[in-house]
Amino acid sequence: MIQLAGVPFQQSSMWPIGGVEDIIVQRMNETPVVYSYDSIEELIFEVTLRKNIIASARMMNEGNARFETFEKSRCNPQYWQLTRIGGFRLKPNVPPSEAIEDIFENSSMYAFECATAKIIIYYHAVLNSLGKYVFNRLFQNLYLYSWHFDPDLGIHTVETNYFLPGDVVYFDNPDFNPDTSWWRGENAVVLEDGTYFGHGIGIETAQQIIVHLNRRRKPGGYRSAYLKNSAARLDFKHLAKLSVLTRSYPTYKPRHFVIRHNKSSISFKQYVFYLYKVYTQMHS
């Protein structure tokens, strides 16, 4: 359910009936989870950003960016430097907004694995929600590699089986074939119509994605792929506050280490585990 300033929020006529926003709000109200907001503007921001995540996922699906492992990743050299480990580093003096938009506008020049695809979708959706001025001030040092993310995105794991459109979920393939290790799992954006977008698979139902993964099991493997009960979500409230960023806002911030693991298609939770290990080692 949705609470607005501590009071239950009922479906209103703010959004077209049957539209993406209306469906998102319905899903929120149908779950036993309480989604609490301080203001209607905060709720509108999250619903709009979730809608933009869905739109960005569908746009990527309609484009020509290929799924590839880190070793075979490629990008447009006008905007990005391809690093030795298969990451994309923003070139100096390139506006971050233009570089992100180019991935969708010149998609045939790009190839990346599925975790990187989800980060790209998130950045593109945030750009369309915050606008170019705020986005370019916040994300001046973009680096795309696996689940590496800027702290202002605030991506975090939510343990739940109540998924909302715009969440990123993970289909685990416990008996994946090590010869095709990129099928260890699939990161997928939850869409509004009950389907999911996975880079390299496309838009399919949960069962169809599970069938895809089961076909890539190792010889003798018998454990079925399955949808994990967790979701990766942006920090919508933090981003809502940044949407009214003033010129005096300090844009310097501590940045996460890039965890070089060379494993395609890992979950966000797995990446955070690697990140946690590095920070633990540094402070032990």
Side-chain angles (χ1 to χ4, degrees), residues 165-238:
D167 283 348
V168 171
V169 296
Y170 190 70
F171 291 84
D172 190 28
N173 190 13
D175 281 346
F176 70 90
N177 191 328
D179 292 334
T180 54
S181 59
W182 49 90
W183 290 110
R184 72 180 74 250
E186 185 72 22
N187 292 288
V189 176
V190 180
L191 304 181
E192 81 286 359
D193 59 359
T195 61
Y196 303 79
F197 167 68
H199 182 55
I201 285 183
I203 294 176
E204 298 197 332
T205 65
Q207 187 55 43
Q208 288 171 326
I209 292 175
I210 288 170
V211 168
H212 269 289
L213 294 175
N214 284 344
R215 289 173 180 164
R216 275 79 181 183
R217 287 192 290 229
K218 63 186 177 182
Y222 63 91
R223 291 179 296 174
S224 176
Y226 64 99
L227 175 58
K228 301 199 78 168
N229 290 333
S230 63
R233 287 180 182 166
L234 296 171
D235 188 339
F236 293 100
K237 293 187 177 184
H238 176 67

Side-chain angles (χ1 to χ4, degrees), residues 32-48:
V33 179
V34 176
Y35 299 95
S36 181
Y37 302 90
D38 295 330
S39 67
I40 188 64
E41 289 78 17
E42 203 173 65
L43 170 61
I44 291 172
F45 181 86
E46 176 168 340
V47 171
T48 301

Side-chain angles (χ1 to χ4, degrees), residues 6-38:
V7 178
F9 175 79
Q10 300 301 321
Q11 193 79 346
S12 71
S13 58
M14 292 176 58
W15 298 284
I17 296 176
V20 175
E21 299 99 329
D22 183 60
I23 293 171
I24 293 169
V25 172
Q26 280 187 39
R27 299 278 175 83
M28 287 179 165
N29 269 325
E30 289 168 357
T31 70
V33 179
V34 176
Y35 299 95
S36 181
Y37 302 90
D38 295 330

Side-chain angles (χ1 to χ4, degrees), residues 70-240:
F70 292 111
E71 293 87 347
K72 297 181 180 179
S73 293
R74 64 174 186 270
C75 54
N76 185 347
Q78 181 179 344
Y79 296 93
W80 304 94
Q81 173 197 355
L82 180 63
T83 66
R84 182 174 52 84
I85 62 172
F88 305 163
R89 189 183 304 281
L90 184 69
K91 283 196 163 182
N93 303 316
V94 171
S97 60
E98 290 185 16
I100 291 296
E101 287 174 336
D102 186 71
I103 299 174
F104 293 82
E105 293 169 0
N106 293 299
S107 58
S108 61
M109 301 183 71
Y110 290 85
F112 39 79
E113 53 83 59
C114 82
T116 307
K118 301 308 169 294
I119 288 291
I120 292 169
I121 287 169
Y122 273 158
Y123 278 126
H124 189 251
V126 169
L127 166 60
N128 289 330
S129 300
L130 297 181
K132 292 183 179 181
Y133 169 74
V134 174
F135 187 87
N136 288 338
R137 289 202 66 204
L138 287 174
F139 304 112
Q140 297 171 13
N141 297 290
L142 284 181
Y143 185 73
L144 307 177
Y145 173 80
S146 186
W147 275 106
H148 176 70
F149 64 100
D150 186 286
D152 274 327
L153 288 182
I155 306 175
H156 57 285
T157 299
V158 179
E159 300 297 335
T160 182
N161 57 358
Y162 296 105
F163 304 125
L164 298 176
D167 283 348
V168 171
V169 296
Y170 190 70
F171 291 84
D172 190 28
N173 190 13
D175 281 346
F176 70 90
N177 191 328
D179 292 334
T180 54
S181 59
W182 49 90
W183 290 110
R184 72 180 74 250
E186 185 72 22
N187 292 288
V189 176
V190 180
L191 304 181
E192 81 286 359
D193 59 359
T195 61
Y196 303 79
F197 167 68
H199 182 55
I201 285 183
I203 294 176
E204 298 197 332
T205 65
Q207 187 55 43
Q208 288 171 326
I209 292 175
I210 288 170
V211 168
H212 269 289
L213 294 175
N214 284 344
R215 289 173 180 164
R216 275 79 181 183
R217 287 192 290 229
K218 63 186 177 182
Y222 63 91
R223 291 179 296 174
S224 176
Y226 64 99
L227 175 58
K228 301 199 78 168
N229 290 333
S230 63
R233 287 180 182 166
L234 296 171
D235 188 339
F236 293 100
K237 293 187 177 184
H238 176 67
L239 289 165

